[in-house]
Amino acid sequence: MPIDTVERFLVALSPQAREHVRRQPREEQERLAAAWETELSEDFDLDTLSELSPPAAESEAAARVVRDLLE
C-alpha cells in the first residue's frame, strides 16, 4: 500500500517540525503536503539536489514549507 502525500511529507520533516504539523488539523496537513509537492516539482535547485539525493531534496522542501508556517 503506497504512503499518502501527508505521510511522505511528515517523514521528510525534522522531528520537531513533524510534531508541530501533526498538531494541525488534517486539512492543514493536506494543504502543507500539497505545498511541499509543489515546492518539489517547481524548484529547479531542488530538482538538481533530487538527482543527487532524493531524501535531501524532500527534507529541504519540507523545511521550506514549515518555515513559512512557523513565521
Side-chain angles (χ1 to χ4, degrees), residues 10-24 66 69-70:
L10 290 171
V11 167
L13 291 168
S14 69
Q16 180 183 11
R18 186 178 308 126
E19 288 308 310
H20 182 76
V21 171
R22 281 191 172 136
R23 289 191 298 266
Q24 303 300 311
V66 171
L69 172 69
L70 297 175

Side-chain angles (χ1 to χ4, degrees), residues 13-44:
L13 291 168
S14 69
Q16 180 183 11
R18 186 178 308 126
E19 288 308 310
H20 182 76
V21 171
R22 281 191 172 136
R23 289 191 298 266
Q24 303 300 311
R26 179 66 184 190
E27 294 83 18
E28 180 66 3
Q29 291 179 22
E30 290 171 354
R31 185 189 71 74
L32 292 168
W36 172 68
E37 292 247 315
T38 299
E39 185 79 17
L40 280 171
S41 67
E42 293 181 356
D43 188 300
F44 293 114

Side-chain angles (χ1 to χ4, degrees), residues 36-71:
W36 172 68
E37 292 247 315
T38 299
E39 185 79 17
L40 280 171
S41 67
E42 293 181 356
D43 188 300
F44 293 114
D45 291 334
L46 288 175
D47 191 38
T48 301
L49 179 59
S50 180
E51 291 178 17
L52 299 172
S53 175
E58 290 181 354
S59 290
E60 176 59 27
R64 291 178 186 181
V65 168
V66 171
R67 191 175 318 126
D68 292 341
L69 172 69
L70 297 175
E71 291 179 347

